[in-house]
Amino acid sequence: MKKAILVAIGFILYGAAMWYYLMHGAQADLPVQFRGSAADPTMFMNDRQLKLSYDFSRIKDWIYFLSVPLEWLIYLLVLGFGISKKMRSTVKEVTRFSVIHTALYVLLLSFLSWILTFPLRYYSYTISRDYHISVQPFKGWMKDSLIDFWVGWIFTVLTVLVIYFFIRKSKKKWWLYAWLISIPFTIFMYFIQPVVIDPLYNKFYPLKDQVLKEKILTLAERADIPASNVYEVNMSEKTNSLNAYVNGIGSNLRIVLWDTTLDKLNDKQVLFVMAHEMGHYVMKHLYQNLIGAIILSFFGLFLGSRIYSWAISKWGKRWGIKGLSDIAGLPVLLLIFSLLSFVAGPVENAVSRKAEKDADRYAIEMTKNPDSAVGAFQQLTISGLSEVNPPKLVKFFLYGHPTMLERITFLDSYKHKYEPKELEKAKKQQR
């Protein structure tokens, strides 16, 4: 109990330190050379928007930096207080079938975690509502949260069943067999995501604006993307933020626009955004992400298996865990994978930022319209209350995209390449 109190005090002090850093200590002033440029937020945001952007971004960043260690603390709490072994004993009293034991144990652990993290997730939701990023009623937010819970439970049960099956078969090579099974499963998930998972949360329908649809499909044809339709999704029921994407593989490829993007961007800006998303497809980023996920899972499972064996041998008896194949050890495994994912996050972010910049380059070279490109990102900044130049620590851990400062500055530099040609073309048309 004393250790638990000390851990709780440590977590509170950590939260206070992160709050001070983000609100007062972090340096994120715009460099002098960019002041007055297209990337300077004072050039396209009013004082109120600047204030809201700063406050909203820093609070959301703080919530992230709290949520990650909170997950770790929950797993340690479940282990340290003997809750895991009690849940194992409880589910074994229900039935003699091990598959049901696993499903019920995962349900209890997931529910406990869901309850303990609910206050922070609800606070994040209310902040988004207060700053008018989210417009989703509480009922709709709860519905999505419950869908998240049950979808997550199903996939966790399947994953745990596979992992513990192989642990029982081979305590040394279970990670390799689990990884081999994960490959077709990961590919399958990429394939069904647009047509099975995404529609659980939102309604998708063909783009209503036929003129814009033809422009986008023409752009797709130029990019050699085999798309016959463009989809619109009713995100305005939930948010004021903007987005668009191309996802799925094979016959399930989808070009999707949020209706908020259609409402707040003009056609040229939308075409730039879509050209960016198409750039991901053309440069095979979707398949690179798939391969990257498979490679990372290989190393994650390998390292995880080694750390798991060490942790069980060192603390297993204290936690009431009878061996590697004991379901009561699941919080240990989840804690390890969460820690490994956190460590790998900055590397994944760096790779993602490179891909995003390549997609920006592809889009600007396809559309040849720097003004629309810059205008699109300025509007994205306003609508999402994004911080143009976030603190380095935030960028390191959270940013899978270049900062708005980097993106707008990069795209604005293309004015020297394309604007003279466009002006000359306009003059000829006037003559």
Side-chain angles (χ1 to χ4, degrees):
M1 184 59 71
K2 288 182 179 179
K3 289 182 179 180
I5 293 173
L6 289 174
V7 169
I9 293 173
F11 182 72
I12 292 171
L13 291 175
Y14 160 78
M18 287 305 304
W19 178 269
Y20 178 83
Y21 166 77
L22 291 169
M23 294 300 178
H24 305 288
Q27 295 298 319
D29 294 337
L30 194 72
V32 176
Q33 65 268 31
F34 298 114
R35 292 176 186 174
S37 70
D40 186 345
T42 62
M43 304 300 292
F44 58 89
M45 299 174 77
N46 59 41
D47 290 343
R48 182 173 180 275
Q49 289 171 332
L50 288 169
K51 172 66 174 162
L52 292 174
S53 171
Y54 179 87
D55 291 344
F56 176 73
S57 297
R58 296 303 173 89
I59 293 172
K60 294 293 282 188
D61 294 340
W62 182 69
I63 291 172
Y64 166 79
F65 284 112
L66 283 185
S67 65
V68 173
L70 177 60
E71 179 187 1
W72 303 338
L73 288 178
I74 290 171
Y75 294 139
L76 290 173
L77 169 73
V78 168
L79 292 165
F81 280 90
I83 297 173
S84 184
K85 64 180 181 181
K86 289 177 183 177
M87 290 194 298
R88 176 198 59 207
S89 300
T90 300
V91 299
K92 283 190 174 182
E93 292 174 0
V94 175
T95 176
R96 60 188 179 86
F97 296 106
S98 61
V99 172
I100 298 178
H101 292 165
T102 300
L104 290 176
Y105 178 92
V106 172
L107 180 61
L108 290 175
L109 181 62
S110 300
F111 183 70
L112 179 61
S113 178
W114 191 86
I115 289 294
L116 293 176
T117 58
F118 182 84
L120 195 59
R121 287 184 286 109
Y122 178 70
Y123 176 58
S124 179
Y125 161 71
T126 58
I127 288 297
S128 294
R129 285 277 299 182
D130 291 344
Y131 283 83
H132 304 291
I133 298 301
S134 173
V135 295
Q136 188 176 26
F138 176 76
K139 181 180 178 181
W141 177 78
M142 274 300 298
K143 177 184 175 183
D144 285 350
S145 295
L146 291 173
I147 291 173
D148 273 340
F149 176 84
W150 289 112
V151 170
W153 174 72
I154 290 170
F155 287 122
T156 303
V157 169
L158 293 174
T159 302
V160 171
L161 284 171
V162 169
I163 287 177
Y164 277 85
F165 171 79
F166 287 122
I167 287 177
R168 286 191 292 271
K169 295 296 181 182
S170 174
K171 289 181 170 56
K172 291 185 177 180
K173 293 185 178 180
W174 66 263
W175 65 272
L176 179 60
Y177 303 136
W179 176 72
L180 291 172
I181 291 293
S182 75
I183 295 174
F185 179 76
T186 303
I187 295 171
F188 178 68
M189 287 303 302
Y190 266 71
F191 183 73
I192 69 167
Q193 177 80 32
V195 295
V196 177
I197 306 299
D198 291 346
L200 294 174
Y201 298 89
N202 300 292
K203 296 177 182 177
F204 292 78
Y205 40 87
L207 182 62
K208 298 173 185 176
D209 187 335
Q210 294 300 310
V211 175
L212 180 59
K213 176 181 175 180
E214 287 305 314
K215 291 179 181 178
I216 293 173
L217 289 177
T218 299
L219 204 63
E221 186 177 359
R222 285 174 54 197
D224 291 325
I225 295 178
S228 59
N229 212 337
V230 180
Y231 293 89
E232 184 177 343
V233 57
N234 61 328
M235 289 302 295
S236 58
E237 296 179 357
K238 298 181 179 181
T239 182
N240 285 318
S241 295
L242 315 182
N243 200 7
Y245 57 86
V246 176
N247 75 339
I249 57 176
S251 59
N252 282 353
L253 175 73
R254 292 289 184 272
I255 299 176
V256 179
L257 279 159
W258 287 12
D259 57 351
T260 51
T261 303
L262 296 168
D263 291 339
K264 296 181 181 179
L265 300 186
N266 61 43
D267 283 7
K268 290 182 179 179
Q269 292 171 338
V270 170
L271 288 175
F272 170 80
V273 171
M274 293 313 301
H276 167 92
E277 299 303 331
M278 291 175 189
H280 286 306
Y281 179 87
V282 171
M283 290 181 281
K284 305 278 192 284
H285 291 161
L286 296 175
Y287 293 96
Q288 289 171 17
N289 289 342
L290 175 59
I291 294 170
I294 292 171
I295 293 173
L296 280 176
S297 66
F298 175 87
F299 289 105
L301 283 165
F302 172 73
L303 290 173
S305 69
R306 296 299 186 267
I307 299 171
Y308 182 55
S309 296
W310 169 78
I312 296 301
S313 65
K314 188 173 180 63
W315 294 295
K317 289 183 179 179
R318 184 184 303 177
W319 292 330
I321 300 170
K322 299 176 182 178
L324 295 180
S325 60
D326 186 354
I327 191 63
L330 179 59
V332 182
L333 205 54
L334 293 176
L335 173 61
I336 292 168
F337 287 145
S338 179
L339 287 166
L340 290 175
S341 177
F342 179 74
V343 171
V347 177
E348 294 180 79
N349 287 341
V351 173
S352 177
R353 288 195 295 269
K354 172 64 167 56
E356 294 295 335
K357 185 173 182 178
D358 289 343
D360 282 347
R361 181 182 290 108
Y362 176 89
I364 194 67
E365 291 178 352
M366 175 172 269
T367 59
K368 298 178 173 57
N369 193 331
D371 282 334
S372 294
V374 169
F377 280 119
Q378 288 175 338
Q379 186 58 52
L380 280 165
T381 303
I382 295 170
S383 299
L385 291 181
S386 303
E387 196 170 10
V388 170
N389 188 35
K392 290 182 180 179
L393 186 68
V394 173
K395 176 184 174 181
F396 185 72
F397 282 107
L398 273 73
Y399 272 59
H401 291 68
T403 65
M404 284 300 181
L405 172 62
E406 294 167 337
R407 302 185 86 170
I408 294 175
T409 301
F410 173 72
L411 294 169
D412 193 50
S413 68
Y414 274 79
K415 285 186 177 181
H416 301 293
K417 183 175 182 179
Y418 293 123
E419 276 199 343
K421 295 179 181 180
E422 294 300 318
L423 289 172
E424 185 64 29
K425 185 178 178 181
K427 288 179 181 178
K428 288 181 179 180
Q429 289 176 345
Q430 290 176 357
R431 294 170 186 169

